[in-house]
């Protein structure tokens, strides 16, 4: 049973208005973990087979952002837990007509 | 000065777990208004030149969803108001390496 | 028909990790507009009789934050549009057992 | 080091527009786990000493909601990870002038 987790990080107290270095760091953590994800301007969608891993993932992301000097990180998450049928990023892309 | 508004609608009290008819309705409203938008599994990104139009847009979306029989609509929005340089969906796509 | 709008502002690129001056500025704008609102650690709930005013409200808040020197503002909103019965902050407080 | 996690559950595909039974179920799970939390009309704030527990908590909440018959659960989360000073719900209440 897959969970789709959408994530967006908002670093607080950095001097720059640019978010891209932080977003790229999130991608690196996701790649290192071998997670399937889909980047978007709004939020990054991640496929998680095991939702109990979410907290560890957030810790790893926050630790990586802290290494860049971020001292406060606000993370927005949207977790989609569908129990009546298999969920996936591909299915969601199909539904919205954005399947490549 | 462009605002990037990310939107996700969660209809409450429908009998079906499917969200796709509601998402498609949102797209129709956006198309009818001639707004530039970018669909994604997480949230839909919209470019708004005039943020004061946001409330009218939400009303139009909610009215369209109510016509489908939805009696309660929870809408999640993320508004990105960048005042130091021009913002755009294209710029955001470039930054995350997803520019087509 | 009342809309309940929950709001949280995340200023990007400030030097400080403190959010309180920005939250207080949001409260000031809400008070000046005579809007009923309920502060909370998570998000501020606002009662809006007229949802079409939302964009004007966000512009006013962002302008006030820009005057504090913020150059990028990410605002998270949750809009609750209930069409089957009257909605209110007081009703929501009752439901969660937090009515004073 | 405390994380403040704000949570809001949106059950999809229930027949009723009422959210209160689901919110109360969330409170029950939080109480059973002995977690400090602060109810609000917008989102419930939770103090987590160990962020790695977040995924287990969401699983427990979703399982409890599934027992009520919910087949799809969208959960909105806002995680505040502050690394420069101790964070707490009480501190946040003080900052917004809502400390009892």
């Amino acid at each position: 049973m897959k969970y789709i987790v959408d994530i967006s990080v908002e670093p607080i107290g950095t001097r720059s208005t640019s978010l891209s270095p932080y977003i790229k760091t999130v991608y690196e953590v996701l790649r290192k973990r071998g997670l399937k994800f889909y980047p978007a301007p709004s939020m990054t969608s991640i496929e998680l087979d095991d939702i109990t891993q979410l907290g560890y993932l957030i810790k790893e992301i926050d630790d990586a952002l802290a290494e860049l000097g971020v001292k406060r990180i606000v993370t927005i998450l949207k977790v989609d837990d569908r129990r009546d049928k298999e969920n996936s990023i591909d299915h969601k892309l199909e539904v919205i007509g954005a399947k490549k």
Side-chain angles (χ1 to χ4, degrees), chain A:
Chain A
M1 195 181 59
K2 283 194 189 68
Y3 286 68
I4 312 298
V5 176
D6 304 321
I7 188 169
S8 165
V9 292
E10 324 292 342
I12 306 294
T14 59
R15 289 180 186 214
S16 158
T17 51
S18 172
L19 293 175
S20 51
Y22 309 109
I23 297 172
K24 280 168 190 164
T25 300
V26 172
Y27 294 169
E28 274 167 38
V29 172
L30 297 176
R31 270 189 212 105
K32 211 173 59 182
R33 281 191 165 242
L35 291 169
K36 178 165 185 179
F37 67 97
Y38 185 88
S42 50
M43 296 176 97
T44 305
S45 296
I46 308 163
E47 254 177 44
L48 276 191
D49 288 312
D50 180 1
I51 190 66
T52 65
Q53 295 309 299
L54 180 62
Y56 300 96
L57 176 61
I58 292 174
K59 189 175 178 343
E60 197 174 334
I61 289 172
D62 283 8
D63 285 349
L65 295 176
E67 271 177 41
L68 297 180
V70 188
K71 293 195 182 67
R72 186 174 193 174
I73 304 143
V74 173
T75 304
I76 311 297
L77 297 155
K78 191 154 68 84
V79 179
D80 186 2
D81 176 5
R82 185 162 193 177
R83 300 192 169 207
D84 59 337
K85 59 187 253 186
E86 191 64 23
N87 206 352
S88 70
I89 290 175
D90 278 348
H91 173 72
K92 287 198 163 197
L93 285 169
E94 241 172 87
V95 157
I96 62 171
K99 189 91 176 64
K100 286 167 199 171

